[in-house]
Amino acid sequence: MEFNTIKVQLGESMAWINLDRPEVRNALNAELIRELTEVFDWLNSRDDIRVIILKGNGKAFCAGADLDYMKAMAKYSYPQNLDDAQRLSKLFQTVYFCNKAVIVDVHGACIGGANGIIAAADIVIAEKETKFAFSEVRLGITPATISPFVLAKIGNTAAKELMLTGRRFTADEAKDFRLVNAVVDETEMIDTERQYIEHFLHASPGAIAECKNLLRVVSGTGDPFNPVFMQTSMAIANQRISKAGQEGMAAFFEKRKPEWDK
């Protein structure tokens, strides 16, 4: 398969995916969302792949939504926003329901929707200088499509603090909130990744798939047809066209404070 926004390398039992839009800090746009969904579907269908490792090329793992993508969304109608939100939700679902062990290495920045990706993964390794934020509320919207995966990962109390404030937080805080599994120096990233890969390769791939499904079922997130996924897509579509959403995005592009920021 050929891609424009990601690079894929296959090894024995493993696949590495690198987000490859370094000029915009791997910011999410429609093409990246589509290609990342496609590659996870493809790798999940391959019996020879047991572990998937996701990284980002350049200075950051993912800085949230691409500016041009955001500008386009600000002009979308409700049906267009709903369609877009469903595609984004589908990406998180594809990662979350993948039967392979999924490791994500993050560095630099992990903002907005990028947190949906890491929440949907199994293991997250963060370089210690990485900055995180659920910044949506500061744009007049909410982190709707990522919320089912974030809540399953870190729980309601942590989600309230991070999502309601929209503040930036450190890698060590992300570990305390259980959003990431390990915080390491840059020089330790590869060794830590290899340790997790070794653990996964000692386990039965069938048992890992069944265990992942078991954990989803027991936690109440085991149904890929759960109506909550549509509800969150509808929520963000409504918020994007709302007065607050329009004001928040306009203020962001005009580099000014939104009307509610006193």
Side-chain angles (χ1 to χ4, degrees), residues 73-136:
M73 287 189 295
K75 299 177 182 178
Y76 281 175
S77 65
Y78 173 80
Q80 288 174 312
N81 267 304
L82 179 60
D83 185 57
D84 178 77
Q86 286 180 283
R87 287 195 295 268
L88 184 58
S89 178
K90 178 63 176 176
L91 167 59
F92 305 138
Q93 292 174 57
T94 303
V95 177
Y96 188 66
F97 289 102
C98 181
N99 287 324
K100 316 299 181 180
V102 179
I103 301 171
V104 183
D105 293 348
V106 298
H107 72 288
C110 186
I111 308 297
N115 289 290
I117 296 173
I118 68 171
D122 302 312
I123 298 295
V124 182
I125 305 166
E127 194 276 324
K128 68 178 183 180
E129 299 300 325
T130 309
K131 302 301 181 186
F132 298 78
F134 294 87
S135 53
E136 289 85 351

Side-chain angles (χ1 to χ4, degrees), residues 146-222:
I146 70 175
S147 60
F149 312 98
V150 174
L151 283 169
K153 182 97 170 187
I154 68 176
N156 196 56
T157 300
K160 277 187 175 182
E161 175 169 343
L162 300 179
M163 290 182 173
L164 295 181
T165 65
R167 70 175 179 86
R168 293 208 166 196
F169 55 101
T170 66
D172 285 329
E173 288 180 290
K175 185 179 180 183
D176 290 341
F177 286 120
R178 300 185 179 181
L179 187 62
V180 306
N181 299 83
V183 176
V184 299
D185 290 328
E186 182 180 2
T187 56
E188 300 173 311
M189 293 283 286
I190 297 299
D191 284 341
T192 306
E193 175 190 304
R194 286 173 177 165
Q195 290 172 22
Y196 277 110
I197 290 172
E198 184 176 347
H199 291 317
F200 288 133
L201 293 182
H202 282 309
S204 156
I208 284 180
E210 289 297 326
C211 189
K212 290 185 68 169
N213 184 59
L214 174 67
L215 294 172
R216 291 189 293 257
V217 170
V218 171
S219 67
T221 56

